[in-house]
Amino acid sequence: MTLKEWWLTKGHETFGESITTLQVTLYVKRKNSDALEITVDAMQQVSSQLAGKEFGFWLDQICLLNSRQGLLSDAPLSWPIYRSRIALEAMSQLLSIMEIHELIIRNAPQTCLWQIGEQLKLNSKAMTKGDDYPSVIADKHKAMGQTVSSYLKKGRCLVDNAANGLFPKY
């Protein structure tokens, strides 16, 4: 099953839907204090009593996250808070890069990471041009290799952590 198939059949059901009428647009835990900043929007037809109960629900979810490792696998109902932090597209890209890397390395083990990055056009600033000087080309190859390496590391960590029940974390 691909990540997209899993997301559409199981993951979206678990993590994708908000169960309240409030839309949480921002959640920030301040690093140097115990303060939390939460911004919520409520539709006009939502009563203040219901909004208060739902806000209490979100506070409970945040407390649950903070009492453990702060992962969505600890409090899956809090996924709507984190939607902008890790998206299906980002997870899919990381996993695709891992699969492509494994396929290329299996068939051509001498392939460099920068070559994979250029084929996938992962870092537009590190793409070489025909009129680049050799020193510029070397710098761009290094930057592209670092980009691919970073993506591979994040993808592997995402997979390893998911296998251990920690989702999403890379």
Side-chain angles (χ1 to χ4, degrees):
M1 178 180 287
T2 66
L3 176 66
K4 188 171 187 173
E5 290 169 345
W6 173 82
W7 182 260
L8 293 174
T9 59
K10 296 179 184 172
H12 190 267
E13 184 178 305
T14 305
F15 297 110
E17 294 293 329
S18 176
I19 61 168
T20 67
T21 58
L22 294 178
Q23 296 300 312
V24 178
T25 55
L26 179 64
Y27 161 66
V28 178
K29 181 176 181 183
R30 306 278 180 194
K31 288 185 178 183
N32 299 328
S33 72
D34 290 334
L36 297 174
E37 179 181 319
I38 305 167
T39 304
V40 294
D41 293 321
M43 294 181 247
Q44 285 185 329
Q45 65 265 28
V46 176
S47 70
S48 58
Q49 183 179 12
L50 178 59
K53 286 181 181 180
E54 290 182 358
F55 188 73
F57 166 78
W58 287 116
L59 288 177
D60 291 343
Q61 290 298 304
I62 291 167
C63 290
L64 186 59
L65 283 171
N66 289 332
S67 69
R68 296 186 182 161
Q69 295 180 29
L71 299 173
L72 297 181
S73 50
D74 294 332
L77 296 177
S78 63
W79 176 262
I81 296 172
Y82 288 88
R83 273 194 186 158
S84 63
R85 303 224 177 152
I86 185 167
L88 174 62
E89 294 79 20
M91 289 186 281
S92 295
Q93 182 187 30
L94 293 173
L95 297 176
S96 294
I97 292 168
M98 281 181 51
E99 289 174 1
I100 291 167
H101 174 261
E102 289 173 11
L103 181 65
I104 290 174
I105 294 301
R106 190 176 325 125
N107 294 326
Q110 71 283 3
T111 306
C112 297
L113 291 180
W114 66 264
Q115 292 171 313
I116 296 170
E118 279 197 350
Q119 287 178 1
L120 299 174
K121 298 179 181 171
L122 294 180
N123 183 347
S124 60
K125 292 180 182 178
M127 294 293 292
T128 56
K129 299 175 186 158
D131 60 347
D132 284 342
Y133 290 108
S135 62
V136 173
I137 291 173
D139 290 342
K140 287 184 176 183
H141 285 177
K142 182 179 177 182
M144 185 65 81
Q146 290 172 340
T147 300
V148 174
S149 178
S150 173
Y151 285 173
L152 289 172
K153 181 180 177 184
K154 285 181 180 179
R156 286 184 188 117
C157 287
L158 182 65
V159 170
D160 292 343
N161 286 329
N164 292 321
L166 306 174
F167 176 81
K169 181 180 180 181
Y170 41 67

